[in-house]
Amino acid sequence: MEEFINDGDIIELLDTSKNPSPSRVREIIARAGELKGLGPEEAAVLLQVEDPELNDEICSAAHDIKNAIYGNRLVMFAPLYTSNYCSNNCLYCGFRRDNRTLKRVALTNEEIAEEVRILESQGHKRLLMLCGEQKGRKAFDSFIEAIEIAYGTMTDRGGEIRRINVEVAPQDIEGFKRLKQANIGTYVLFQETYHHDTYRIMHPAGQKADYLWRLTAMDRAMEAGIDDVGIGALFGLYDYKFEVLGLLSHAMHLDQKFGVGPHTISVPRLEPALNAPAAIKPPNPVSDADFKRIVAVIRMAVPYTGMILSTRERPEVRREVFKVGISQISAGSRTNPGGYHSGNEGMDDAAQFNLGDTRTLDEVILDISQEGHIPSFCTACYRLGRTGKDFMDLAKPGLIRKFCRTNAIMTYQEYLSDYASEETKRVGEELVRRLIKKTKKAGTRKLLEERLARIKNGERDLYI
């Protein structure tokens, strides 16, 4: 197992990048606009900027970079928790082993199917499946079975789950091969904090206490054939500037070793959780302004990666960071097993953390539609083999945008036809008309109009 995070190097880099000149900052902003990414040294400079005008320029550049790569679409998904039993004792998590107040739940197969049916009836096509981390093969076998159940559960009006990403405890190579065989999309795992001493403090017991085993999980996943992986840090545990550089170092390691950087980077921020001391009182709280800069700098440094934002954040914060780099979002989420069936019941005594955005999927879609974003349920890249290096070959030069936009509009039309409220449908249909009108290439516009007509006539799951 290879150690590639050096705390001293990152801290020194942050120290030497303090008080950058405006000319240096603008030089880096201009370089980021070439869509080739930034190194940790350049990102460190941007993280040190305090001048409001320069920060506005950073955010404006990040907005342009995101649109150049992915356009103005936002991919929608929902998390599905199958269990909150956990052998770890992480100080920031409601699922922690020593939380005696938490109501422990492990869903049965039928309960998992019922959760999936509810999500499908709302219009979801993409899931992130996750559970507490438990030792032993039995728990992992149950999780593999849960994936099969979710894929096999169908409802009316085209209700189906087309792609499942997973967040599950680090595996050995054989375990990752089983996940690959289960037809997962992206394997997601957060290091939580890249700072070694903080990691030891926050993970006092359980298999998660092994920093290096967790850090190298993506290497094993790649070696097992999973070519789309997602990394993340939990902001608020340690200095956010250090964590950003840790994420970028991780991304560079994967790109250099496998020729494929992370498919996604997640940016969760600490939210209160039941009996979780570090979540109730974050050691290094991150302001809304700093959080926006985190998103902008990561977008500039790793322009090809999808950036994920959960419902931890309040609606007003989500609107702001959508503008500077986020490309995937959860909506209508529940963080307690069985939460979609029970509604708000159990959220206080069985959830992993508190939610900042409790709106329904339809309310979120109405909001982002009014902001001009395209809600997307697209899963085409996974199903056509545009993953790993094939995806990066399209994403890095900005060519993936032509697929993303068209497929997003088609899946959006499916949602409008099958699940949208009257107000959302009215707003959405007008947005689709504007998007068709703005489609510059005549051939693409003709294809889009033809496919949308077929969807309105009852066909589903059309993509390019």
Side-chain angles (χ1 to χ4, degrees), residues 78-151:
L80 174 58
Y81 286 78
T82 62
S83 168
N84 62 7
Y85 285 90
C86 193
S87 60
N88 297 321
N89 203 26
C90 312
L91 300 187
Y92 48 81
C93 182
F95 291 178
R96 61 194 296 257
R97 185 194 66 194
D98 285 357
N99 186 356
R100 307 304 181 190
T101 308
L102 186 78
K103 179 182 177 183
R104 301 290 176 176
V105 179
L107 300 183
T108 66
N109 289 347
E110 179 49 43
E111 287 170 335
I112 291 168
E114 177 60 19
E115 292 284 279
V116 174
R117 284 191 285 268
I118 292 169
L119 289 166
E120 289 174 345
S121 72
Q122 296 170 0
H124 280 292
K125 307 295 183 188
R126 300 167 61 114
L127 297 182
L128 172 67
M129 291 187 65
L130 61 171
C131 61
E133 296 188 7
Q134 289 181 276
K135 290 183 178 180
R137 181 166 178 170
K138 184 178 179 181
F140 188 58
D141 289 346
S142 297
F143 189 75
I144 295 290
E145 188 175 5
I147 295 171
E148 296 170 354
I149 290 167
Y151 271 133

Side-chain angles (χ1 to χ4, degrees), residues 151-311:
Y151 271 133
T153 301
M154 309 286 183
T155 55
D156 58 2
R157 294 187 298 170
E160 62 178 340
I161 299 303
R162 297 172 182 166
R163 182 52 50 198
I164 296 174
N165 301 329
V166 302
E167 184 178 340
V168 67
Q171 304 294 313
D172 58 19
I173 290 178
E174 290 306 310
F176 280 123
K177 286 181 178 178
R178 290 190 64 194
L179 286 175
K180 174 71 173 178
Q181 291 166 359
N183 199 31
I184 68 164
T186 303
Y187 173 68
V188 178
L189 187 73
F190 302 164
Q191 188 66 19
E192 314 294 9
T193 174
Y194 286 91
H195 186 251
H196 286 75
D197 286 346
T198 302
Y199 190 94
R200 281 190 288 272
I201 292 168
M202 292 296 158
H203 305 99
Q207 59 187 340
K208 198 170 177 178
D210 189 334
Y211 179 104
L212 190 55
W213 177 252
R214 194 169 188 88
L215 182 67
T216 56
M218 296 310 181
D219 295 60
R220 297 190 298 279
M222 291 275 201
E223 290 165 10
I226 299 174
D227 54 4
D228 277 356
V229 298
I231 62 176
L234 182 54
F235 288 96
L237 296 178
Y238 188 62
D239 177 14
Y240 76 86
K241 298 173 184 177
F242 182 100
E243 304 294 11
V244 170
L245 297 189
L247 282 167
L248 298 185
S249 298
H250 201 166
M252 287 176 58
H253 164 78
L254 295 173
D255 202 11
Q256 291 167 0
K257 185 172 180 179
F258 299 99
V260 179
H263 187 71
T264 59
I265 293 178
S266 297
V267 288
R269 187 165 51 156
L270 267 175
E271 288 295 326
L274 180 67
N275 294 333
I280 295 169
K281 189 176 181 180
N284 289 273
V286 178
S287 70
D288 291 348
D290 286 338
F291 185 62
K292 186 175 181 179
R293 180 163 48 177
I294 287 168
V295 175
V297 171
I298 294 175
R299 171 53 64 205
M300 296 169 76
V302 198
Y304 59 80
T305 194
M307 289 192 68
I308 299 178
L309 187 72
S310 75
T311 48

